[in-house]
Amino acid sequence: MSKLSLRDLNVANKRVLLRVDFNVPINDKNEIVDDTRIVEALPTIRHLISHGAKVILMAHFGRPKGTVNLKYSLAPVAAHLKKLLAKEQATVAFSAECIGSAAEKAVAAMKAGEVLLLENVRFHSEEEKNDAAFAKALASLGDLYVNDAFGAAHRAHASTAGIAAHLSQAAMGFLMEKEVRYLYEELANPKRPFLVILGGSKVSDKIGVIEALMKKADTFLIGGAMAYTFFKALGIETALSRVEADKLDLAREILAKARERGIKFLLPLDCIATQEIKAEATTKNIPLSKESGIPSGWEGVDIGLATRELYAKEIAQAGTILWNGPVGIFEISDFAGGTRALAEALAANRNALTIIGGGDSVTAVKQFGLASKMSFISTGGGASLELLEGKELPGISALTEK
Ligand code: ADP
Ligand code: 3PG
Ligand code: MG
């Protein structure tokens, strides 16, 4: 991906339109519960401030479906950003309109080194349609374009893609570069063994990732609900466990392909099962084999103890580890033990490059307080999956070639 970098731009006194992904989780009191995405955009913002740019931030927030809905206003995010930039004493203004005369006026009032956050671009239905006139209206506010919104790079929207054609230079921000480095470049020539941990709810969500990574990885550790589709395909009783009944052939094909290519493709040896998905429910550790499946009325909710041990050994020997998808229903602490054990095993391997991609896996690692022990944690959900699948991301393709 030989795209222009922020480093290549001369930004002094220029109006720089910076697309960021400030789509952060909030609670019912409208408080930001995890500001990682904002914090991760700070290196780019600080670079622009210190190099004397006028920093115009564009972002989306939630899915307001093309109408103004103040529940999805970015105003609280502007206030939070101001706090994060307190050391820089940066002026952080907010424009309640992202295009038109109010936005133009706000931009005209900016001095070098100041920051202006524009209101949610998704208040206009043209944003998600990648409407050319809307993209042009946004572009008219600036001189240069920088995209740091990795989490939204899989969307071909006006502020992530269409806008680039209307400005002389469109470059990658530092976060975008970092994401591409860990989820793409580092995996092209990984330190071996290259191990992939795949979990989560559905095989069908991850099929693209499995196929793309089977060309590169040495070992797969399977967990999560996904495992039960494989077990069912192998004729092992899964009882109430979540299975994708229409994906059994696909599961058999994946297993056959792995065997053909000499890939170590490990399924759990055992699982934690329960009769009720709730805290403090009774659980038992059940071995999984042709002879011993899950008893009727029970459901597999986590990898079992023998599996944790086996997987931890594989993790300890790996050179590169990519993890996508929790291996159990980690949202309920009684079913989080397997996911936690794997996170701890990753943290303990100080020689491996450890990369966590995907929304819920990242949430789990953060919940265990182990985020700082990983080499890289992606800020993208869907975008990281698409990049791992080898798909082209519109938010990157639209940028200027180096
Ligand atoms: P990611 O966001 O990391 O890509 P997914 O969205 O694919 O992960 O899957 C996450 C979800 O999978 C979690 O909500 C978790 O509760 C669920 N899950 C994991 N294991 C199981 C299981 N055994 N049964 C049902 N759901 C599971
Ligand atoms: C995300 O939260 O994954 C990104 O910000 C993209 O949001 P979207 O799925 O609403 O397009
Ligand atoms: Mg998810």
Side-chain angles (χ1 to χ4, degrees):
M1 286 184 208
S2 52
K3 295 296 185 181
L4 212 59
S5 159
L6 168 55
R7 259 173 285 265
D8 303 322
L9 304 184
N10 182 358
V11 300
N13 278 309
K14 297 275 170 53
R15 298 169 302 161
V16 178
L17 283 159
L18 173 61
R19 178 57 158 99
V20 285
D21 187 343
F22 282 174
N23 196 24
V24 289
I26 50 167
N27 62 19
D28 43 19
K29 283 182 236 138
N30 262 340
E31 294 156 344
I32 296 169
V33 291
D34 178 359
D35 67 354
T36 307
R37 282 178 162 172
I38 306 174
V39 169
E40 290 294 325
L42 291 176
T44 293
I45 296 172
R46 289 200 175 109
H47 174 94
L48 289 170
I49 292 173
S50 66
H51 287 76
K54 298 174 182 173
V55 191
I56 306 157
L57 301 175
M58 300 175 292
H60 75 279
F61 195 47
R63 292 176 176 169
K65 300 200 166 83
T67 54
V68 178
N69 178 346
L70 291 181
K71 191 175 140 211
Y72 299 108
S73 173
L74 280 164
V77 174
H80 190 73
L81 179 63
K82 198 176 167 71
K83 275 189 225 151
L84 292 174
L85 290 171
K87 218 173 63 210
E88 284 76 12
Q89 293 184 314
T91 302
V92 180
F94 178 72
S95 168
E97 255 304 338
C98 66
I99 54 163
S101 59
E104 283 158 17
K105 231 185 245 165
V107 171
M110 291 177 84
K111 295 194 203 67
E114 291 187 354
V115 179
L116 172 72
L117 174 61
L118 303 176
E119 181 59 288
N120 195 344
V121 287
R122 287 192 185 171
F123 282 178
H124 295 258
S125 61
E126 297 91 337
E127 161 67 4
E128 292 182 66
K129 292 184 196 135
N130 197 6
D131 177 81
F134 181 69
K136 209 169 164 187
L138 284 171
S140 74
L141 298 172
D143 304 304
L144 302 169
Y145 176 68
V146 175
N147 193 355
D148 221 13
F150 175 73
H154 58 317
R155 307 290 182 216
H157 295 169
S159 67
T160 59
I163 188 171
H166 301 284
L167 290 147
S168 62
Q169 288 180 305
M172 283 201 187
F174 298 146
L175 175 59
M176 186 73 91
E177 285 183 333
K178 196 160 90 171
E179 296 273 3
V180 169
R181 188 174 124 216
Y182 283 101
L183 296 175
Y184 183 82
E185 288 159 9
E186 293 279 4
L187 303 183
N189 256 314
K191 188 174 149 203
R192 297 194 181 269
F194 176 14
L195 178 128
V196 176
I197 306 170
L198 278 181
S201 39
K202 293 183 187 163
V203 188
S204 53
D205 282 350
K206 306 287 163 80
I207 177 64
V209 176
I210 297 177
E211 292 203 325
L213 291 174
M214 279 217 283
K215 298 190 183 115
K216 296 178 186 159
D218 304 296
T219 307
F220 283 79
L221 308 180
I222 303 298
M226 180 197 289
Y228 302 98
T229 298
F230 285 103
F231 284 129
K232 182 104 184 172
L234 291 170
I236 295 169
E237 181 53 53
T238 53
L240 295 182
S241 310
R242 196 193 291 183
V243 165
E244 282 178 279
D246 60 336
K247 293 292 178 291
L248 301 183
D249 284 338
L250 177 71
R252 282 187 279 262
E253 276 163 36
I254 293 170
L255 293 171
K257 211 180 264 178
R259 220 176 304 123
E260 233 165 73
R261 296 189 188 169
I263 298 167
K264 210 167 176 184
F265 198 92
L266 303 184
L267 295 176
L269 300 172
D270 55 356
C271 76
I272 302 291
T274 186
Q275 290 171 298
E276 300 169 278
I277 307 291
K278 62 164 206 195
E280 285 162 54
T282 305
T283 59
K284 54 183 181 184
N285 196 92
I286 296 174
L288 292 164
S289 67
K290 280 246 158 57
E291 297 71 44
S292 145
I294 298 180
S296 102
W298 291 72
E299 170 171 358
V301 290
D302 194 5
I303 56 170
L305 304 179
T307 309
R308 293 174 203 179
E309 206 171 300
L310 172 73
Y311 284 9
K313 269 191 203 137
E314 292 290 337
I315 290 168
Q317 290 162 11
T320 306
I321 304 167
L322 172 71
W323 186 4
N324 171 265
V327 293
I329 306 179
F330 75 98
E331 295 91 340
I332 297 174
S333 69
D334 301 276
F335 312 149
T339 304
R340 181 189 288 272
L342 298 195
E344 283 168 355
L346 255 75
N349 183 342
R350 306 308 296 158
N351 299 315
L353 190 75
T354 47
I355 301 166
I356 319 293
D360 294 296
S361 343
V362 171
T363 306
V365 170
K366 283 184 184 164
Q367 197 173 296
F368 304 140
L370 293 169
S372 67
K373 299 276 200 280
M374 307 298 159
S375 311
F376 180 69
I377 293 213
S378 178
T379 57
S384 54
L385 282 180
E386 291 199 22
L387 187 53
L388 291 171
E389 282 172 37
K391 284 193 191 156
E392 218 178 271
L393 302 185
I396 297 177
S397 327
L399 302 175
T400 314
E401 288 295 324
K402 220 179 183 99

